[in-house]
Amino acid sequence: MAVSISAVVLLGIVVLVLIRGGSVRLLPALACTGFGFFLASTGAAPVITDAISAVTGWISSI
């Protein structure tokens, strides 16, 4: 759970910086946010969660 919250905060900061820097406009950012929100309610969510957990476990072992 702590990894998920940290990832959400980190990705939120990245999106905010990209919007403020002009690299990403507001509407495409909102579309990506909506896509991620609806993707989380599909059958792909456990696979994505497992992959992120594997990567964070690998990084923490370094």
Side-chain angles (χ1 to χ4, degrees), residues 7 15-16 19 22 24-25 27 31-32 34 41-42 44 47-48 53 59 62:
V15 169
L16 182 66
I19 290 172
V24 176
R25 301 273 189 236
L27 288 178
C32 290
S41 64
T42 66
V47 175
I48 295 169
S53 295
I59 290 172
I62 292 177

Side-chain angles (χ1 to χ4, degrees), residues 42-62:
T42 66
V47 175
I48 295 169
T49 303
D50 292 342
I52 291 172
S53 295
V55 169
T56 56
W58 178 74
I59 290 172
S60 67
S61 69
I62 292 177

Side-chain angles (χ1 to χ4, degrees), residues 4-53:
S4 297
I5 292 172
S6 298
V8 168
V9 170
L10 177 65
L11 291 173
I13 291 170
V14 168
V15 169
L16 182 66
V17 167
L18 288 173
I19 290 172
R20 301 245 335 156
S23 298
V24 176
R25 301 273 189 236
L26 182 60
L27 288 178
L30 290 176
C32 290
T33 302
F35 174 72
F37 178 77
F38 288 113
L39 182 65
S41 64
T42 66
V47 175
I48 295 169
T49 303
D50 292 342
I52 291 172
S53 295

